[in-house]
């Protein structure tokens, strides 16, 4: 006679259907989807396409704007009563220049509505984006010290590097910032797009559910992040095709930025888990 010695034993816990006690289900419950209210204040809607639009974001945007001689601010891009973008029309360029997310940063759910509103308002035929990539997380076949990490780029037309010292931004690395939303929307209208990424030593801070203060402030550090030479090369790539005459030179030396005192979720000693 065959006897099953397991008939009187209870099923292991993992054999039952998971419930809320076992793991968090991000699809259950939760708040309703949010919609960002985006408005452009300070000047009327352009009657034609803006031609070239330059968008410099976050840590890179703040550094570049320090020496770019952008003249006075002409308009603001407001998201849910927070000023996210600052619009400039410098006298030395025909481009519309937007310095974005330098004071406050967008949550992930607001990036696409923000980018869509800017693209539909200015209707660029050429879009240049400046942001950063975290060098500690960048995957590469070559071993490269953080201090010597190159400026990287992506472009939708042509294969030539914007500058001989720039290197391609290669897979499997991903872009998870607002510049990715700008690029994906602009590609639908066959806009020429060039993305430049300055190397950053800072690890990205997880995005919250609301608009939050920028984690970077101007200040002194022991070591500079970007030399004046790098900033001038980036400035030339951004401005050389949109300058009315000779583009105004980028003025300044090495750029110093520091990370503000913002507590991260999951820090040791704050209830987080670590290995």
């Amino acid at each position: 006679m065959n006897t099953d010695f397991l008939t009187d034993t209870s099923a292991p816990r993992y054999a039952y259907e998971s419930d809320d006690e076992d793991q968090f289900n991000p699809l259950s419950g939760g708040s309703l989807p949010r919609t960002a209210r985006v408005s452009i204040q300070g000047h009327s809607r352009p009657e034609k396409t803006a031609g070239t639009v330059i968008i410099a974001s976050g840590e890179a945007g703040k550094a570049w704007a320090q020496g770019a001689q952008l003249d006075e601010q002409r308009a603001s891009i407001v998201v849910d009563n927070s000023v996210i973008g600052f619009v400039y029309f410098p006298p030395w360029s025909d481009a519309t220049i937007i310095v974005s997310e330098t004071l406050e940063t967008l949550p992930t759910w607001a990036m696409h509505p923000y980018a869509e509103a800017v693209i539909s308002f200015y209707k660029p035929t050429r879009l240049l984006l400046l942001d950063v990539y975290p060098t500690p997380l960048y995957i590469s076949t070559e071993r490269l010290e953080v201090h010597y990490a190159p400026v990287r780029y992506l472009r939708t037309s042509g294969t030539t590097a914007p500058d001989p010292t720039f290197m391609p931004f290669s897979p499997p690395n991903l872009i998870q910032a607002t510049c990715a939303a700008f690029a994906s929307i602009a590609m639908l209208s066959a806009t020429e797009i060039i993305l430049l990424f300055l190397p950053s030593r800072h690890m990205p801070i997880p995005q919250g559910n609301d608009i939050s203060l920028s984690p970077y402030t101007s200040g002194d550090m022991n070591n500079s992040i970007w030399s004046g030479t790098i900033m001038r090369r980036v400035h030339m790539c951004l401005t050389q095709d949109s300058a009315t005459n000779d583009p105004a030179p980028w003025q300044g030396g090495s750029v110093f930025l520091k990370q503000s005192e913002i507590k991260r979720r999951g820090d040791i000693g704050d209830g987080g888990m670590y290995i």
Side-chain angles (χ1 to χ4, degrees), residues 167-219:
M167 300 294 292
F169 188 91
S170 303
N173 298 282
L174 300 175
I175 304 169
Q176 297 177 315
T178 309
C179 64
F182 277 111
S184 62
I185 295 172
M187 287 184 66
L188 299 178
S189 58
T191 302
E192 180 187 359
I193 307 168
I194 298 178
L195 299 92
L196 301 179
F197 302 101
L198 290 170
S200 173
R201 304 172 192 172
H202 296 145
M203 300 290 287
I205 293 178
Q207 297 288 346
N209 294 324
D210 300 304
I211 295 173
S212 57
L213 293 177
S214 171
Y216 304 105
T217 58
S218 297

